[in-house]
Amino acid sequence: MKTKILPFRELLESAPDAMVIVNQTGEIVLLNSRTENLFGYDREDLLGHSVERLIPARFQDRHLDHRAAYFNDLHARPMEASLELYAIRNDGHEFPVEISLSPLETEEGTYVIAAIRDVSERKRIEGQIHKLNLELQAKEQLQLLLDSTAEAIYSIDVDGACTLCNAACLRLLGYSRDSELLAKNMHVLMHHTRPDGRAYPEEECKIFLAFRQGKGTHVTDEVLWRADGTSFPAEYWSYPIFHNGRVGGSVVTFFDITQRKKSEEALRRSESRYRSITEGAPYGIYRVDQNGRIAMANSAFAAMLGYQAPDEVLGLNTGADVYLDSTEQQRARDYASEHPAVGYETKWKRKDGKTITVRLGGRRLPDDDELPGGFEVFVEDITAHRSLQKQFEHAQKMEAVGRLAGGVAHDFNNLLMVISGYAQLLDESSADPKKVVEYATRIQDASSKAATVTRQLLAFSRKQVLEPTVLDLSYVVKDLAKMLPRLLGDDVETVLELDPQVGTVRADRGQIEQVIVNLGVNARDAMPQGGRLTIATSNVALDASYYQGVEVPPGQYVLLAVSDTGIGMDAATQVHIFEPFYTTKEAGKGTGLGLATVYGIVKQSSGFIWVYSEPDRGSIFKIYLPRVDAAADSDESLQPVQAPSAGTETILLVEDEAVLRNVCRVYLECKGYTVLEAGNAKEAMKICQSYDRPIHVLITDIVMPGPGGLELARSALEIRPALSVVLVSGYTDRALDREAISFAKFLQKPFSFDALARTVRSLLDKNREILLIEDSKFMRVAVQRALTGAGYTVHTTDHGEAGLRAARETLPDLIVLDLVLPTISGLDVLKALKGDAITKSIPVIVLAALSEPTKEELLNAGAAACVENSKKLLENDSIALIHTVTQVAGKAKAPRG
């Protein structure tokens, strides 16, 4: 049933909310006084006006749509808090509202009754509640976060009262609930007393300084107190809390450092023990960085170098300030890296300049060390030890020398008796030719035995003159083995175990053969019932850890091993076997010089010898000779020896012993030679300078007062380049160097006159042939004239193709090659010669306008030497050429007369 709207006025006035009735066009037709009060309008200002006047402009368009839709679907709609609705007052102020709608059917038409409620206060309260909920959630999350940390954390206000604390704080301080700390003065609870028991005034509390001074504090070690009255060491931080620019308190973080202090104390004690061990050690200990700077050292190390305290050596560079030879530092480092357990010996220099011998051991420091790439080194001063060792060795040597002197006196007394006796018999039997010949032969035999003893003594003392060449030990042993059965007897089986790829060594072939023979004879005597002698060769690489009674430098060696199946030796015998005149054989069966000779030859050849033997188990001798990277020299010893012959050439004989010089002169003059005599090098040089005829051969003793034979030979060759040289000596302080061997023959005293005659004749009769390849006619004539004048036979060609053919056909002793040739360059000719199996061994001297790159390229291509090709050769200045040819090819036959 429809009613009229006016009766609703009284009903609207009794409603607690603002009430508005609008028609379908949105005009307000009725409102109550609460609406006037809520919106600030008079009733007349709203009646007849659109209800949109009460809605903010930004919502009006949307409201029109909502109003039209509602009138199309009329239904009661209660107030909903979930809707965000806003109204606007007359003064323009917007405020949140809730609205309920109810349709009203009247006689005048359909209306809508709207109840409007201001919810501003409720929204404000809800916002505060929401804010409080968020703060509570944040506080709970913060508390959860704080409780999950291991560090104790609490906050205080400006009065020192606790406002927050975490679980770790409660646990460390001995409390079970935060209420026991909140609002309590934290200084009074936990920081009230000093470690010594004295009261800790609050005004001095460093924790409170954070909010009093507005800056953080950090204390690394202080005492905090628990609830039960016990204390613990702690480290803490206190930082101010700022709010709106003002300090509102501070937050404190602390943790118990009891375990850390125990660890620090344990570390301190460990370091103390380490320092005690280090400082009390009798050995030097130091650490260096990767640049060699000393970063740590003990007192023994400082004292070893002559300093008063370790601080004085800190910062020293071991390479420059400690090692006598700075290059030794890197070698010691490499050695320590490869062999950390083996000591390295070297020389150091003290502060006062004195030299000490030390043994080093150590290790490279790992990358995570405070000195990554550096070294930790232990040092032992072995200077005194080495001195005592040398004294002991000297005492042993003097004992050996005493035995040597007795043995030499015994042997030479016997030989002198033989010589003296037969000389007397010879004098008494001069009328009987047969007895003269017999007695002279006996005297010569005794002299030969005396010479043998002398050679053995020189070998033992390492003073014999060696003529080292590059040898293939397998070849030498194989060649010598042909005569060993005759020497050793039929009941000794000789077995060869030779490495065909064995490396070469530099040694005197004759002396190496003597070593093998001596060891073979020694083995034979150790096998009276026969047995097996094994000789083996092989390549070996020895490292620093190798030690077999003797220290052998690391490197590449060739091993010569001689073993037998004889009676062997005990340890006591092995100690003395290399001493002269020491023998285990019965009287008359040995001189005691065989193994001493072996030892001397091996040491003089820069080698090492080691023996192992057991009674009834045989013996093995191992000889290590340094391996060289060179091809074996040609074996001239296999060439047939010509019989001595006479001659008419001129010989300069230089010997400081007048009797020996006289007997040699008489013999050479008997052979038809003209002999010029000199007692020393100065007299010989005067003869070389003043004698106006050719001198063909110089025979000189090596060891003489004043300048020696080597110096004389070199000086004489500068004056007379065609001179042939024979060096003679029974004793020298060093082996002949390769230059001396290249320009001279050598005779070991005592020598036979037959050997002297053969040596002289071989030099005079050996005429060297040279092939000259030179396209310039003038240069070809000049070089040919110079070489011919020096006694060489010279063949010539004017281009490379002809030179290659001539080299293959004539096989000259030497080729002199011009670098600049037509059609084929001298370099290509050189490469062709060295690539041909027939001509590759012929030495080649290249004539060229030299520069360092050119010379290096020619030598790398196989040239034996290079000579400057200049106008000097055309000007008869051929000294450099003749000198080079002499060094490379040897002496030519000198012109007679």
Side-chain angles (χ1 to χ4, degrees):
M1 176 179 179
K2 297 182 179 180
T3 62
K4 294 183 179 180
I5 194 170
L6 292 178
F8 286 94
R9 180 175 298 172
E10 293 181 2
L11 180 63
L12 293 182
E13 288 296 333
S14 64
D17 296 317
M19 303 294 290
V20 176
I21 298 177
V22 298
N23 61 20
Q24 288 183 339
T25 62
E27 291 181 1
I28 301 173
V29 297
L30 193 64
L31 56 93
N32 65 358
S33 57
R34 289 186 179 278
T35 302
E36 293 178 279
N37 296 332
L38 179 62
F39 288 94
Y41 287 98
D42 291 335
R43 188 181 303 267
E44 290 75 15
D45 294 332
L46 294 177
L47 292 175
H49 290 278
S50 173
V51 72
E52 275 74 25
R53 171 175 282 193
L54 303 179
I55 298 172
R58 67 181 188 276
F59 298 121
Q60 289 179 3
D61 291 341
R62 189 171 61 182
H63 184 266
L64 291 173
D65 294 336
H66 288 170
R67 178 163 55 80
Y70 183 79
F71 274 100
N72 289 330
D73 183 17
L74 293 171
H75 61 279
R77 191 186 74 182
M79 289 187 179
E80 297 182 15
S82 61
L83 294 177
E84 290 287 340
L85 301 177
Y86 286 88
I88 185 168
R89 292 188 176 94
N90 187 25
D91 60 5
H93 176 72
E94 294 184 9
F95 59 96
V97 294
E98 286 183 357
I99 300 175
S100 67
L101 301 176
S102 299
L104 177 64
E105 297 289 343
T106 68
E107 294 177 355
E108 288 88 357
T110 301
Y111 294 88
V112 174
I113 300 175
I116 305 169
R117 183 178 298 164
D118 184 357
V119 295
S120 298
E121 183 63 20
R122 193 184 73 190
K123 289 286 187 182
R124 184 185 66 79
I125 294 172
E126 288 176 351
Q128 290 179 344
I129 292 172
H130 179 67
K131 181 179 179 181
L132 289 174
N133 286 334
L134 291 178
E135 289 178 353
L136 181 61
Q137 291 176 7
K139 185 174 181 180
E140 289 175 349
Q141 291 177 352
L142 175 61
Q143 189 67 46
L144 181 63
L145 177 63
L146 293 178
D147 287 345
S148 67
T149 63
E151 292 84 0
I153 302 173
Y154 69 89
S155 62
I156 52 177
D157 59 20
V158 292
D159 296 322
C162 179
T163 58
L164 178 147
C165 61
N166 69 347
C169 177
L170 295 173
R171 185 179 65 255
L172 290 181
L173 296 179
Y175 295 94
S176 57
R177 296 183 302 275
D178 58 359
S179 60
E180 297 179 82
L181 293 181
L182 295 177
K184 305 288 178 46
N185 187 298
M186 293 299 289
H187 180 80
V188 173
L189 290 179
M190 57 174 282
H191 206 202
H192 49 76
T193 307
R194 299 181 187 275
D196 58 6
R198 292 181 296 114
Y200 200 150
E202 184 175 317
E203 58 270 16
E204 296 179 12
C205 178
K206 294 181 180 178
I207 294 177
F208 286 8
L209 287 178
F211 62 79
R212 288 173 177 167
Q213 298 182 356
K215 61 181 181 179
T217 59
H218 176 211
V219 177
T220 59
D221 188 1
E222 195 163 80
V223 168
L224 300 181
W225 296 86
R226 300 186 183 95
D228 62 3
T230 61
S231 64
F232 62 94
E235 180 178 4
Y236 64 80
W237 293 259
S238 180
Y239 292 100
I241 299 173
F242 292 93
H243 182 69
N244 295 330
R246 299 180 63 183
V247 177
S250 66
V251 60
V252 182
T253 302
F254 68 93
F255 55 86
D256 187 344
I257 61 172
T258 302
Q259 190 58 45
R260 188 182 78 185
K261 290 178 71 68
K262 289 180 179 179
S263 299
E264 290 175 349
E265 178 61 19
L267 178 61
R268 186 193 64 78
R269 292 178 180 176
S270 176
E271 290 178 344
S272 177
R273 288 193 296 268
Y274 170 76
R275 283 193 297 270
S276 177
I277 293 172
T278 302
E279 288 301 312
Y283 302 108
I285 303 173
Y286 69 98
R287 288 163 61 95
V288 294
D289 61 20
Q290 59 184 351
N291 297 318
R293 295 285 178 185
I294 299 175
M296 186 281 288
N298 69 345
S299 298
F301 175 80
M304 194 178 296
L305 293 177
Y307 294 91
Q308 297 297 319
D311 291 346
E312 297 183 54
V313 301
L314 298 182
L316 293 181
N317 185 287
T318 52
D321 303 322
V322 177
Y323 282 89
L324 186 64
D325 178 0
S326 60
T327 61
E328 277 286 288
Q329 175 175 255
Q330 188 57 49
R331 283 194 286 270
R333 287 185 169 191
D334 295 341
Y335 191 87
S337 299
E338 296 175 8
H339 314 284
V342 182
Y344 181 83
E345 289 191 18
T346 187
K347 298 286 187 180
W348 278 5
K349 54 188 176 185
R350 286 167 47 90
K351 179 183 179 181
D352 57 12
K354 293 181 180 178
T355 300
I356 59 174
T357 303
V358 296
R359 180 185 289 115
L360 309 178
R363 65 184 182 97
R364 183 184 292 275
L365 298 175
D367 293 338
D368 59 355
D369 191 88
E370 62 182 348
L371 298 172
F375 282 84
E376 186 175 67
V377 186
F378 296 83
V379 192
E380 179 184 7
D381 185 349
I382 59 172
T383 306
H385 174 73
R386 284 287 174 261
S387 177
L388 290 174
Q389 186 178 28
K390 287 181 180 179
Q391 293 177 29
F392 177 70
E393 291 174 352
H394 180 70
Q396 287 185 314
K397 187 179 294 183
M398 293 307 296
E399 180 182 351
V401 167
R403 190 183 299 112
L404 172 65
V408 170
H410 177 269
D411 286 2
F412 270 91
N413 278 335
N414 290 340
L415 292 171
L416 289 175
M417 283 295 298
V418 172
I419 294 171
S420 175
Y422 279 110
Q424 292 180 28
L425 293 174
L426 183 64
D427 184 50
E428 295 174 359
S429 306
S430 58
D432 188 342
K434 290 184 178 181
K435 289 187 177 182
V436 169
V437 173
E438 178 186 355
Y439 298 157
T441 302
R442 299 292 186 185
I443 292 174
Q444 190 171 8
D445 290 344
S447 299
S448 297
K449 290 180 180 179
T452 300
V453 173
T454 301
R455 281 193 297 272
Q456 290 175 323
L457 290 173
L458 287 173
F460 163 72
S461 62
R462 300 172 232 166
K463 300 299 184 180
Q464 62 183 345
V465 178
L466 299 182
E467 295 186 72
T469 57
V470 179
L471 300 177
D472 180 336
L473 282 188
S474 292
Y475 174 79
V476 172
V477 172
K478 186 176 180 180
D479 190 48
L480 182 64
K482 299 172 184 176
M483 53 81 66
L484 285 179
R486 295 191 295 273
L487 178 67
L488 305 179
D490 296 335
D491 57 350
V492 175
E493 176 190 5
T494 302
V495 178
L496 302 183
E497 296 178 356
L498 308 178
D499 183 355
Q501 303 299 323
V502 74
T504 54
V505 301
R506 189 179 302 281
D508 185 311
R509 173 167 178 166
Q511 299 298 329
I512 294 300
E513 289 177 342
Q514 183 178 348
V515 166
I516 298 171
V517 169
N518 284 14
L519 292 176
V521 171
N522 189 72
R524 179 202 64 191
D525 294 342
M527 299 184 290
Q529 307 301 320
R532 183 172 63 256
L533 174 70
T534 303
I535 306 176
T537 59
S538 62
N539 295 318
V540 294
L542 303 183
D543 58 25
S545 62
Y546 182 83
Y547 182 82
Q548 296 288 359
V550 291
E551 293 184 1
V552 182
Q556 301 293 325
Y557 290 85
V558 175
L559 170 63
L560 172 63
V562 180
S563 60
D564 62 63
T565 58
I567 60 176
M569 298 174 282
D570 57 23
T573 301
Q574 292 178 50
V575 173
H576 301 285
I577 57 171
F578 295 123
E579 296 177 5
F581 294 104
Y582 179 84
T583 180
T584 59
K585 301 171 186 176
E586 58 186 85
K589 291 295 183 69
T591 64
L593 283 173
L595 292 179
T597 300
V598 168
Y599 181 84
I601 292 173
V602 171
K603 296 303 289 183
Q604 196 173 6
S605 301
S606 302
F608 303 89
I609 185 169
W610 169 79
V611 61
Y612 178 76
S613 180
E614 292 183 15
D616 301 323
R617 299 291 297 273
S619 303
I620 181 170
F621 289 81
K622 290 186 176 182
I623 296 171
Y624 297 93
L625 296 175
R627 182 175 175 177
V628 297
D629 294 325
D633 291 341
S634 59
D635 187 7
E636 295 184 359
S637 64
L638 300 181
Q639 301 297 325
V641 180
Q642 297 180 353
S645 60
T648 59
E649 291 86 356
T650 300
I651 297 174
L652 174 57
L653 177 63
V654 186
E655 170 61 61
D656 60 309
E657 185 62 48
V659 176
L660 179 56
R661 185 174 69 246
N662 184 63
V663 69
C664 290
R665 176 185 59 77
V666 171
Y667 174 78
L668 291 171
E669 287 177 344
C670 289
K671 292 295 183 180
Y673 296 106
T674 300
V675 180
L676 307 175
E677 290 185 72
N680 54 57
K682 291 183 179 179
E683 294 178 8
M685 283 303 300
K686 289 180 180 179
I687 295 174
C688 286
Q689 294 166 350
S690 61
Y691 194 70
D692 57 359
R693 299 184 200 177
I695 300 176
H696 304 97
V697 180
L698 168 66
I699 302 175
T700 177
D701 192 7
I702 294 178
V703 180
M704 298 184 295
L710 278 174
E711 291 82 355
L712 168 61
R714 292 189 180 98
S715 299
L717 285 170
E718 291 180 2
I719 301 173
R720 297 175 180 265
L723 193 64
S724 295
V725 178
V726 179
L727 297 174
V728 177
S729 183
Y731 171 91
T732 184
D733 287 330
R734 58 186 175 90
L736 292 177
D737 55 32
R738 290 188 60 79
E739 180 188 358
I741 295 173
S742 70
F743 68 70
K745 289 286 186 179
F746 178 75
L747 279 178
Q748 175 80 51
K749 290 181 181 179
F751 52 81
S752 68
F753 285 144
D754 285 349
L756 176 62
R758 284 196 304 269
T759 301
V760 170
R761 198 67 257 162
S762 67
L763 288 173
L764 293 172
D765 290 341
K766 189 169 186 179
N767 194 16
R768 302 280 184 175
E769 293 189 357
I770 297 178
L771 173 61
L772 172 63
I773 307 175
E774 169 63 70
D775 64 313
S776 168
K777 180 179 179 180
F778 296 100
M779 189 65 71
R780 191 166 63 247
V781 171
V783 173
Q784 184 177 15
R785 182 188 301 116
L787 294 175
T788 303
Y792 296 96
T793 299
V794 182
H795 305 284
T796 64
T797 62
D798 58 359
H799 61 277
E801 294 90 342
L804 290 172
R805 287 195 300 272
R808 290 177 62 89
E809 292 169 2
T810 63
L811 297 178
D813 299 293
L814 175 69
I815 297 174
V816 177
L817 171 65
D818 186 13
L819 182 61
V820 181
L821 292 173
T823 66
I824 301 179
S825 71
L827 180 58
D828 289 335
V829 173
L830 174 62
K831 292 179 179 178
L833 289 169
K834 293 303 173 183
D836 189 336
I838 296 177
T839 60
K840 67 178 182 180
S841 62
I842 302 174
V844 179
I845 296 176
V846 180
L847 303 177
L850 295 178
S851 64
E852 284 302 321
T854 303
K855 183 177 180 181
E856 182 177 1
E857 182 180 12
L858 292 171
L859 294 176
N860 289 336
C866 301
V867 174
E868 183 76 23
N869 190 354
S870 63
K871 292 182 179 180
K872 290 184 178 181
L873 291 176
L874 294 174
E875 297 169 356
N876 297 321
D877 186 1
S878 58
I879 293 177
L881 175 62
I882 297 300
H883 179 71
T884 304
V885 170
T886 299
Q887 285 190 316
V888 174
K891 296 295 175 292
K893 175 183 175 181
R896 299 288 179 94

